[in-house]
C-alpha cells in the first residue's frame, strides 16, 4: 500500500512538472519572442509578461531581453517579486449617478437633463495591452420621459386627401400622447422636390401653379419648416390648415433632402435632449445620392444646415444625401425615424429600415386616417428596444458586449448590444469589455462614447494606455553604470544612446565586427566563437535563442544549456531536478546523473515496519534482498519458508498446553516470546494496534484447534496472546446415524418398487394398445370360419337362355 501511494505521488509530481513546463512555455513564449530591449516593450508583449529590474539577474551570455518573461518563470529564475515590473490595468468611475426612479404625474417636475436613464455616465480605463477591462452599464427606461415629434409630410399632389386628415393631427395626437408622457411637443414640415429640371417644370406658369386644370397649388419647394416643435396642439392645427398641396414631374420625391435638414438644423427645429421622433409620411419613393446628376447637380451633400426663413435654399446646389450619410446624421442627433408610407412602397421602406438603426415602418392608409395609431404603435416598438452603439474606436482597441435582459434572456456578440421587450420602468444591464491590442504611437489618451440609439444620454470613457513601466520614469540618463554615460540606466538595465551597443553600451556600432573583439569570445584551445551557440558582440557572447523558449544557452562562452542533461522516462533529469550547464541538479530526496534515484525509503517499508523486512537494502526506492530465500518488493516473500503461524505453533503449544513435539525441550527452545492467556477469541488483540500482528489457527496433537496472535513491537520483543481453552471436536451421535441409514435404505427400496411398478403399468398399456390396433386392421370376417366349404355344388348351364 505504501509503495502504491508513493507511485501515485511520483506520477502526480511528474505530471505537475509537465503541466507547469507547458504553461511556462505557453505563457513565456510571447514574452521571450518579443525580444524586448526595455521594460515598456516587455509589458506590451502580453498581459502575462513581466520585467525583472534586479541588477544582477542576468547570467553570463544572456541578452537584456531575457529580463522579460512570464511572471512564474521570472520567479523561478530567482527574481524577487518586488523586483518584477508588472503594471496592471484598472478602472475608475468619475460620474455615477443612479438611474431616475419616478412615477408619471408625480409632484416633482424634472427637467429633461435631470432625468437619468443610463449609469455610469463617465469613467476612466487604464489599459494594458492584451488585458481587457470590464464594466457594467445599466439602462432603465424612465416613466413620463419627454418626447419631441416632428411630422415631415410629402406635399406632392398625390397626397392631397392625406393633407386634410393631417390638419387636425395636432390636438388629436396631443391627447393620445398624454397617455405616455406629460411633456410632449410636436412640429411640422413639408417637402416636394428639388426646384430644377427634370424634377419639376421650370416654366413660369408651372412654377406659380404646378397643378393642372383649376387646381390651386402652391409653388414647388424642396423643404419647408412650417412649425418648429411646440407644445400647443391648436397652433399645429392652425398652421397646417393653411398649407396647400404642390406638385412635381417624377414619381420619387426629395424626402432625403428634408430628412437631412430636419436632423442637422436642431436650433431651427427646436430639438431638446429628449426622445426625438421623426415621422416621415409619403406615398412615393425617394431620390438618393447620384440622382442629382439628372439636374446637373454633382456636389455631394455637405450635411450642414441651410435653412433661411425656414426654407431649404441649397437644393439646387447640393446633391441628395446618401443613405449612409443620413444614418450618420440621424444617429449623431439621436433621432428615431418612423416611415408612414402607403402599402405600395412598404417593401422599399422596409429595406431602408434595415439600413437605418432605430427606425420603424408603418402602413399608411390611402388618406392618412390611421396616422395617429400608426405613430403610437411605432413609438412603442422603438422604445421597447435598446441598442448600444459606440463612437469610432482608436486603432488597436476592440470592444465586446454581453446583455442581461428581461426574463433571463442573455445575448453575446452582436446580440449583446441590444435588449428587446423593455417596458417602462424595466432595468437591463450590459457587460462591456474593452481591450487594447497595441499601444498608440504617441501614447496619447483617447475618449470614446457609448450610448443607446435614439437617446441623448451617453457614457463617456477616457482611455489611458499603460505603455511604460514606473521604473522607466526613475531612469538615470548618461549613467556611469552604462560605460561612462553611454546610456540611460533604467529598470536594472542600460538603454544605450544612439550609436552604442552592448549590454552596458560598451561598444560603438563601428566596433561590432572587429576581429580583436572575437578573441574574447573563444574558449582556451578552441576556434569556435561562443561555442557556435551565440554571437560575439563587443567582445561578449550573446547566446542565440532556440525555437523552444524554455531551452536556453548560457555561460560566458554560451557553453552551457539547460536541455542536454541525462534523461529518465523521457524527461530531462527525470523530472526530479533542474538541468544547469548540462548537469542535473536534483531536488531533495533524489540523486543520480538523471535524478532517477529516489532516496525515499517508504516504498521499501515492509508490513512489519522494517526496511526491506530486515533482509535487504533499499536502493533508489527498491529493495535489494540480501537473503536469497526472500523475494518481492519488500523482501517478505519466501516460497520455501514456513508461515509465522506454522513456524511458532509447536513452541506456543508446549508453553500454553504442555504438550506437543517440543514438550521436552520447551524451556530451552521456546522462551523467546512473552505469552499472555486470554479467555476467548474476542479478547485477542485486533489489527488496529501499531505493531505488526498475525492471527493464527492451528491444530494440536489431539486434533483440537487453538488460537493465538503473534506480534513484534518496535523494540523487537515478541508478544503472543493465546486462547486458554482449545476447541476440540465432539464424537459422533450413533443412534441418529443408524436410524438415518436404515430409513434411507427403506425409502430408497420403496422408491425403486414404485418406479418398477410404474414402468410395468406403462409397458402393459402400450402392449394392449398395440393389440387393439392390429385387431382393427384384420381383413377377414370374424363371424365365419375361413376354412369351411359347403357340401352343395351349384352348376349353371351355359346354353340356357332363360326362355
Amino acid at each position: 500500500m505504501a509503495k502504491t501511494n508513493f507511485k501515485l505521488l511520483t506520477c502526480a509530481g511528474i505530471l505537475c512538472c509537465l503541466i507547469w513546463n507547458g504553461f511556462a512555455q505557453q505563457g513565456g513564449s510571447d514574452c521571450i519572442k518579443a525580444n524586448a530591449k526595455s521594460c515598456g516593450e516587455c509589458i506590451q508583449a502580453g498581459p502575462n509578461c513581466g520585467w525583472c529590474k534586479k541588477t544582477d539577474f542576468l547570467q553570463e551570455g544572456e541578452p537584456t531581453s531575457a529580463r522579460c518573461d512570464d511572471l512564474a518563470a521570472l520567479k523561478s529564475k530567482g527574481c524577487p517579486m518586488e523586483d518584477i515590473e508588472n503594471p496592471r490595468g484598472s478602472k475608475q468611475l468619475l460620474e455615477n449617478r443612479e438611474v431616475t426612479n419616478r412615477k408619471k404625474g408625480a409632484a416633482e417636475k424634472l427637467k429633461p437633463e435631470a432625468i437619468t436613464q443610463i449609469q455610469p455616465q463617465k469613467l476612466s480605463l487604464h489599459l494594458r495591452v492584451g488585458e481587457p477591462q470590464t464594466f457594467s452599464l445599466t439602462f432603465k427606461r424612465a416613466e413620463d420621459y419627454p418626447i419631441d415629434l416632428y411630422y415631415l409630410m410629402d406635399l406632392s399632389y398625390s397626397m392631397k386627401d392625406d393633407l386634410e386628415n393631417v390638419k387636425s393631427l395636432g390636438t388629436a395626437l396631443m391627447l393620445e400622447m398624454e397617455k405616455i408622457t406629460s411633456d410632449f411637443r410636436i412640429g411640422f414640415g413639408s417637402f416636394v422636390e428639388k426646384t430644377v429640371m427634370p424634377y419639376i417644370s421650370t416654366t413660369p406658369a408651372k412654377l406659380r401653379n404646378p397643378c393642372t386644370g383649376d387646381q390651386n397649388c402652391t409653388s414647388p419647394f424642396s423643404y419647408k419648416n412650417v412649425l418648429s416643435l411646440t407644445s400647443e396642439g391648436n397652433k399645429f392645427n392652425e398652421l397646417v390648415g393653411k398649407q396647400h398641396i404642390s406638385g412635381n414631374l417624377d414619381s420619387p420625391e426629395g424626402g432625403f433632402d428634408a430628412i437631412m435638414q430636419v436632423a442637422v438644423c436642431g436650433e431651427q427645429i427646436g430639438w431638446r435632449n429628449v426622445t426625438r421622433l421623426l415621422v416621415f409620411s409619403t406615398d412615393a419613393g425617394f431620390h438618393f445620392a447620384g440622382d442629382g446628376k439628372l439636374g446637373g447637380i454633382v456636389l455631394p451633400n455637405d450635411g450642414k444646415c441651410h435653412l433661411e426663413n425656414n426654407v431649404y435654399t441649397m437644393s439646387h446646389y447640393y446633391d441628395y444625401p446618401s443613405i449612409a450619410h443620413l444614418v450618420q446624421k440621424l444617429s449623431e442627433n439621436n433621432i428615431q425615424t418612423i416611415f408612414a408610407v402607403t402599402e405600395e412602397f412598404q417593401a422599399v421602406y422596409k429595406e431602408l429600415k434595415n439600413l437605418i438603426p432605430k427606425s420603424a415602418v408603418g402602413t399608411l392608409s390611402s388618406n392618412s386616417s390611421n396616422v395617429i395609431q400608426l405613430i403610437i404603435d411605432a413609438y412603442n416598438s422603438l422604445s421597447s428596444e435598446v441598442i448600444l452603439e459606440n463612437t469610432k474606436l482608436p486603432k488597436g482597441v476592440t470592444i465586446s458586449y454581453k446583455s442581461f435582459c428581461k426574463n433571463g434572456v442573455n445575448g453575446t456578440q452582436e446580440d449583446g448590444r441590444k435588449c428587446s421587450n423593455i417596458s417602462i420602468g424595466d432595468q437591463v444591464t450590459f457587460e462591456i469589455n474593452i481591450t487594447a491590442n497595441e499601444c498608440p504611437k504617441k501614447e496619447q489618451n483617447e475618449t470614446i462614447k457609448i450610448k443607446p440609439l435614439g437617446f441623448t444620454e451617453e457614457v463617456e470613457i477616457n482611455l489611458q494606455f499603460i505603455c511604460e513601466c514606473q521604473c522607466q520614469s526613475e531612469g538615470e540618463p548618461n549613467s556611469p553604470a552604462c560605460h561612462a554615460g553611454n546610456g540611460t540606466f533604467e529598470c536594472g538595465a542600460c538603454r544605450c544612446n544612439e550609436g552604442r551597443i552592448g549590454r552596458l553600451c560598451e561598444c560603438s556600432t563601428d566596433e561590432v565586427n572587429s576581429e580583436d573583439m572575437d578573441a574574447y569570445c573563444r574558449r582556451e584551445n578552441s576556434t569556435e566563437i561562443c561555442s557556435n551557440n551565440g554571437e560575439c558582440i563587443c567582445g561578449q557572447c550573446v547566446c542565440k535563442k532556440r525555437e523552444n523558449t524554455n531551452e536556453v544557452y548560457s555561460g560566458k562562452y554560451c557553453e552551457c544549456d539547460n536541455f542536454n542533461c541525462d534523461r529518465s522516462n523521457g524527461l530531462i533529469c527525470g523530472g526530479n531536478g533542474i538541468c544547469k550547464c548540462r548537469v542535473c541538479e536534483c531536488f531533495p530526496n533524489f540523486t543520480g546523473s538523471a535524478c532517477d534515484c529516489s532516496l525515499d525509503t517508504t516504498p521499501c517499508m515492509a508490513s512489519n515496519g522494517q526496511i526491506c523486512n530486515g533482509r535487504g537494502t533499499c536502493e533508489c526506492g527498491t529493495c535489494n534482498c540480501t537473503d536469497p530465500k526472500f523475494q518481492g518488493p519488500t523482501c517478505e516473500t519466501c516460497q520455501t519458508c514456513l508461515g509465522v503461524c506454522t513456524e511458532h505453533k509447536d513452541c506456543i503449544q508446549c508453553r500454553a498446553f504442555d504438550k506437543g513435539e517440543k514438550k521436552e525441550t520447551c524451556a530451552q527452545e521456546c522462551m523467546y516470546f512473552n505469552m499472555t492467556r486470554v479467555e476467548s477469541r474476542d479478547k485477542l488483540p485486533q489489527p488496529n494496534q501499531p505493531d505488526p500482528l498475525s492471527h493464527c489457527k492451528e491444530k494440536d496433537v489431539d486434533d483440537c484447534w487453538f488460537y493465538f496472535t503473534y506480534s513484534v513491537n518496535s523494540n523487537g520483543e515478541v508478544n503472543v496472546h493465546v486462547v486458554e481453552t482449545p476447541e476440540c471436536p465432539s464424537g459422533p451421535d450413533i443412534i441418529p446415524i443408524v436410524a438415518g441409514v436404515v430409513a434411507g435404505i427403506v425409502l430408497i427400496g420403496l422408491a425403486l418398487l414404485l418406479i418398477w411398478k410404474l414402468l410395468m403399468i406403462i409397458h402393459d398399456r402400450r402392449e394392449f394398445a398395440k393389440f387393439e390396433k392390429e385387431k382393427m386392421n384384420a381383413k377377414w370376417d370374424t363371424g365365419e370360419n375361413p376354412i369351411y366349404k359347403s357340401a352343395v355344388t351349384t352348376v349353371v348351364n351355359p346354353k340356357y337362355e332363360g326362355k
Side-chain angles (χ1 to χ4, degrees), residues 376-481:
I376 298 296
D377 293 343
Y379 168 74
N380 289 330
S381 173
L382 290 173
S383 60
S384 66
E385 183 177 56
V386 58
I387 303 175
L388 296 184
E389 69 165 1
N390 52 267
T391 56
K392 184 179 179 181
L393 298 173
K395 183 181 178 182
V397 176
T398 58
I399 189 169
S400 64
Y401 296 84
K402 184 176 182 181
S403 60
F404 300 90
C405 309
K406 286 178 60 178
N407 302 321
V409 177
N410 300 336
T412 56
Q413 298 180 351
E414 282 304 310
D415 289 337
R417 291 176 173 265
K418 63 183 179 180
C419 281
S420 303
N421 301 320
I422 301 175
S423 304
I424 292 175
D426 286 343
Q427 181 171 303
V428 295
T429 304
F430 297 87
E431 185 180 278
I432 302 174
N433 282 308
I434 298 180
T435 307
N437 299 309
E438 61 182 63
C439 274
K441 293 182 179 179
K442 297 181 181 180
E443 300 183 13
Q444 73 275 19
N445 296 340
E446 299 280 356
T447 299
I448 62 173
K449 296 180 179 180
I450 299 176
K451 68 174 183 178
L453 281 174
F455 294 86
T456 58
E457 296 178 69
E458 61 189 11
V459 180
E460 182 179 319
I461 306 170
N462 180 254
L463 304 181
Q464 300 181 29
F465 299 92
I466 303 174
C467 300
E468 296 288 346
C469 298
Q470 178 64 32
C471 60
Q472 288 183 257
S473 62
E474 303 168 0
E476 181 185 356
N478 303 319
S479 171

Side-chain angles (χ1 to χ4, degrees), residues 620-631:
C620 300
T622 304
C623 281
N624 182 16
C625 302
T626 54
D627 189 336
K629 293 191 301 181
F630 290 87
Q631 300 173 348

